[in-house]
């Protein structure tokens, strides 16, 4: 989240006894103090930008983990933009357009084939020189009364967390109606984020509301605002905002200094953290600026959209398991700590799945909880389910914690055993989904009969004179060379087994 900048005082002196100034420490000591300051300062400020620290305890040196997150940055440097529908960008074919200041002097031209007159989507994200605005522009509303609508989709192919206001800069007037949407699943589904209109009741059947007037229980409410849609002249009021800071200020105060309370609310208030998370944003431009009047059909070339800049400040969402996020192979990627992996550090590494993955937590302050993934036998394996369960239950009278609803054909307090009818796959680790596979025999429940031995849980090695899956059928010849009558079926207690065990018992009875 956003935090106030820290500016050290270069003239500050080391205090000495009784207020006297001490002589400066040797360079080596200064270097040590500086490193300690840089190491400890972020934790003291609550920025959560250190993931681990090497500490020494009575039991020896080891890593101490903290909740951590990347620094906020300009996300427009990593965005992919898509403008729809096809043909909504001006210049193909070339056309003239007017401005609201001079609606009858239509001397400006948009021509996609001329670099000096083109207005492609990339100009919403370029660096503007000498204050000269470069901008994307739509076609004019020459087909009125058909709606002039445009969708601008920003995609990161990565979950990001907003840390400051989204600011969209319009040239030649802000839209009278638009809405902002967000997606959490890379554009598969969309959800309203904020509505903007000159008249909210007319446009969206919603009463107008200002974000700064929301309460702590409605901080993640989707509202309609009229603040950014009324005509104020093309040279003024170019910006349309999605107010992240005002929502943070509900908990952190107007100057955003009470970050502890903000972090606490982000953890405790249902849906609040997710409200500031997105993989994609989409602006739906529904009606252009009208110049403060009704639509003048005699001059439709002054109605269009033009955007010179879209600023999105945020950070990679790494579930509090990384403090670095890099641009690799065409996309953003968390550099995961805490034995986690994945684009968002959303799962445990192999061999570190002794308990189900969990996101880190801002709490308890100031360092948070890393909820690190752990290997078997480590200090973090409080209830080791080896990735086969995400639920635990405390049995009071036994004073133990046990895994609940073990998956992948496992069972036991820690899902460390195989269910009846399955045996341990010796080639798989305990945290492998295929650790338990169907068995033919074992040395505990599915016993080989008549002195037979179970070979690698795969088949019974039968002694001379017997055959069958469990060596339960005699193989003999009488004096006349006739086969003996089959022995009775194997012990009926096998019928108690489920699944493959029951089928194998039936197969033995039927002589297969």
């Amino acid at each position: 989240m956003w935090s106030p900048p820290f500016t050290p005082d270069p003239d500050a002196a080391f205090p000495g006894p009784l207020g006297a100034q001490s002589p400066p420490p040797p360079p080596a000591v200064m270097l040590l103090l500086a490193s300690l300051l840089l190491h400890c300062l972020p934790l003291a400020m609550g920025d959560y930008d250190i993931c681990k620290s090497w500490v020494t305890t009575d039991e020896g040196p080891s890593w101490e983990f903290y909740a951590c997150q990347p620094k906020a940055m300009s996300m427009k440097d990593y965005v992919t933009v898509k403008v729809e529908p096809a043909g909504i960008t001006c210049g193909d074919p070339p056309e003239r357009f007017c401005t609201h200041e001079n609606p009858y002097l239509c001397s400006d031209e948009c021509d996609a084939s001329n670099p000096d007159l083109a207005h492609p989507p990339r100009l919403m994200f370029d660096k503007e020189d000498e204050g000269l605005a470069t901008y994307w522009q739509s076609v004019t509303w020459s087909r009125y009364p058909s709606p002039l609508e445009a969708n601008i989709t920003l995609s990161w192919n990565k979950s990001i967390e907003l840390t400051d206001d989204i600011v969209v800069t319009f040239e030649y007037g802000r839209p009278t109606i638009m809405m902002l949407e967000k997606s959490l699943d890379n554009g598969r589904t969309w959800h309203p984020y904020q509505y903007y209109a000159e008249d909210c009741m007319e446009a969206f059947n919603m009463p107008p509301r200002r974000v700064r007037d929301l309460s702590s229980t409605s901080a993640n409410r989707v509202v309609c605002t009229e603040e950014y849609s009324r005509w104020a002249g093309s040279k003024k009021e170019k910006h349309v905002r999605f107010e992240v800071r005002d929502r943070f200020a509900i908990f952190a105060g107007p100057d955003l200094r009470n970050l502890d309370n903000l972090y606490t609310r982000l953890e405790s208030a249902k849906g609040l953290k997710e409200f500031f998370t997105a993989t994609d944003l989409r602006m739906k431009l529904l009606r252009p600026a009208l110049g403060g009047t009704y639509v003048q059909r005699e001059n439709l070339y002054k109605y269009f959209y033009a955007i010179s800049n879209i600023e999105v400040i945020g950070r990679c969402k790494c579930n509090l398991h990384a403090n670095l996020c890099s641009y690799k192979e065409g996309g953003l990627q968390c550099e995961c700590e805490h034995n986690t992996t994945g684009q968002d550090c959303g799962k445990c590494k192999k061999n570190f799945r002794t308990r189900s993955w969990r996101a880190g937590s801002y709490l308890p302050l100031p360092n948070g909880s890393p909820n690190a993934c752990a290997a078997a036998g480590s200090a973090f394996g409080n209830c080791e389910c080896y990735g086969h369960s995400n639920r635990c239950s405390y049995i009071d009278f036994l004073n133990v914690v046990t895994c609940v609803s073990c998956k992948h054909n496992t069972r036991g307090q820690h899902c460390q055993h195989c269910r009846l009818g399955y045996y341990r796959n010796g080639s798989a680790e305990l945290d492998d989904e295929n650790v338990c596979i169907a068995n033919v025999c074992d040395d505990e429940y599915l016993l080989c009969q008549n002195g037979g031995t179970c070979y690698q849980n795969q088949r019974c090695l039968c002694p001379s004179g017997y055959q069958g899956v469990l060596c339960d059928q005699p193989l003999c010849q009488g004096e006349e060379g006739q086969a003996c009558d089959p022995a009775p079926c194997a012990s009926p207690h096998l019928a108690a087994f489920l699944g493959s065990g029951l089928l194998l018992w039936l197969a033995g009875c039927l002589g297969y």
Side-chain angles (χ1 to χ4, degrees), residues 435-454:
V435 67
C436 292
I437 56 180
N439 66 335
V440 173
C441 59
D442 58 34
D443 294 325
E444 186 176 359
Y445 297 105
L446 289 177
L447 301 175
C448 297
Q449 306 295 306
N450 300 306
T453 58
C454 183

Side-chain angles (χ1 to χ4, degrees), residues 10 48 70 75 111 118 125 133-134 181 191 198 200 261 285 303 332 334 378 410 431 446 469 482 509:
Y48 298 95
M75 301 306 299
D111 185 352
F125 305 98
T134 57
E181 297 177 308
H191 310 277
E198 192 175 43
C200 284
N261 189 49
L285 309 180
Y303 304 122
L332 290 167
C334 297
S378 71
T410 62
D431 60 357
L446 289 177
V469 174
Q482 297 177 348
C509 286

Side-chain angles (χ1 to χ4, degrees), residues 179-486:
M179 66 180 294
L180 181 66
E181 297 177 308
K182 77 164 185 175
S183 174
L184 287 165
D185 54 12
N186 298 303
R188 288 186 286 273
T189 59
W190 292 93
H191 310 277
Y193 218 11
Q194 190 149 307
Y195 297 92
Y196 303 83
E198 192 175 43
D199 187 325
C200 284
M201 287 300 298
E202 178 188 18
F204 299 111
N205 196 30
M206 296 174 66
R209 191 160 189 175
R210 299 187 306 176
V211 171
R212 66 179 68 97
D213 294 333
L214 296 176
S215 67
S216 59
T217 58
S218 61
N220 56 350
R221 177 175 295 178
V222 176
V223 301
C224 180
T225 177
E226 297 178 351
E227 288 190 78
Y228 304 103
S229 303
R230 291 175 177 155
W231 176 254
S234 65
K235 299 300 182 183
K236 308 175 183 177
E237 303 298 332
K238 295 182 176 183
H239 302 310
V240 172
R241 292 179 177 270
F242 176 77
E243 306 98 326
V244 173
R245 284 190 177 219
D246 283 347
R247 295 178 190 262
F248 286 170
I250 295 172
F251 309 107
D255 55 0
L256 301 185
R257 291 190 178 275
N258 190 3
L259 292 180
D260 286 356
N261 189 49
L262 173 61
Y263 288 132
T264 301
R265 290 304 187 100
L266 286 171
E267 287 294 339
S268 59
K270 183 178 180 181
L272 187 61
K273 188 187 297 186
E274 288 73 23
F275 181 80
F276 300 105
T277 302
T279 60
D280 307 74
L281 296 170
R282 181 167 68 186
M283 287 185 295
K284 298 178 74 72
L285 309 180
L286 303 176
R287 185 191 294 168
L290 301 182
T293 63
Y294 57 89
V295 178
Q296 297 175 334
R297 300 191 183 193
E298 68 276 10
N299 188 7
L300 296 174
Y301 296 101
K302 66 178 181 178
Y303 304 122
F304 54 89
Y305 305 106
I307 298 178
S308 59
N309 190 54
I310 302 177
E311 193 62 66
V312 181
I313 304 296
R315 64 165 56 91
C316 291
K317 178 181 176 65
C318 300
N319 288 295
L320 295 177
H321 289 312
N323 62 353
L324 294 175
C325 187
S326 303
Y327 193 75
K328 298 178 180 178
E329 301 176 358
L332 290 167
Q333 172 72 49
C334 297
E335 297 189 13
C336 301
E337 302 274 3
H338 304 160
N339 304 316
T340 61
T341 187
Q343 190 182 31
D344 298 344
C345 306
K347 58 183 179 180
C348 293
K349 287 182 178 179
K350 185 175 176 61
N351 300 327
F352 288 90
R353 299 172 184 165
T354 60
R355 61 179 181 182
S356 297
W357 174 91
R358 291 173 60 199
S361 171
Y362 290 117
L363 304 177
L365 301 169
N367 299 342
S369 301
N371 296 329
C373 296
S378 71
F380 295 100
N382 295 331
C383 181
E384 302 169 358
C385 300
Y386 296 101
H388 304 305
S389 173
N390 57 7
R391 294 174 54 208
C392 291
S393 176
Y394 176 67
I395 303 176
D396 187 51
F397 69 94
L398 294 178
N399 192 31
V400 296
V401 177
T402 183
C403 303
V404 177
S405 301
C406 295
K407 298 180 294 185
H408 312 137
N409 303 312
T410 62
R411 64 178 178 85
Q413 181 182 356
H414 304 295
C415 303
Q416 78 276 31
H417 300 305
C418 292
R419 289 173 51 198
L420 299 181
Y422 294 83
Y423 78 97
R424 171 72 189 278
N425 182 359
S427 63
E429 300 288 342
L430 274 175
D431 60 357
D432 195 301
E433 293 184 4
N434 298 310
V435 67
C436 292
I437 56 180
N439 66 335
V440 173
C441 59
D442 58 34
D443 294 325
E444 186 176 359
Y445 297 105
L446 289 177
L447 301 175
C448 297
Q449 306 295 306
N450 300 306
T453 58
C454 183
Y455 176 71
Q456 294 184 349
N457 298 100
Q458 296 176 1
R459 61 190 177 95
C460 287
L461 299 178
C462 299
S464 176
Y466 290 91
Q467 66 176 357
V469 174
L470 297 175
C471 304
D472 51 352
Q473 302 176 39
L475 181 63
C476 59
Q477 289 184 340
E479 293 182 358
E480 303 298 328
Q482 297 177 348
C484 297
D485 292 333

Side-chain angles (χ1 to χ4, degrees), residues 81-134:
V81 62
K82 182 179 182 180
V83 177
E84 298 172 301
I88 193 65
T89 299
C90 70
D92 186 18
E95 67 173 318
R96 291 185 301 161
F97 61 92
C98 318
T99 64
H100 289 288
E101 292 88 351
N102 298 296
Y104 301 102
L105 183 62
C106 302
S107 58
D108 295 325
E109 186 177 3
C110 180
D111 185 352
S113 64
N114 185 338
D116 294 330
L117 300 176
H119 296 281
R122 61 177 176 80
L123 295 182
M124 290 185 279
F125 305 98
D126 66 330
K127 298 189 185 325
E128 298 173 346
D129 300 325
E130 305 282 335
L132 180 63
T134 57

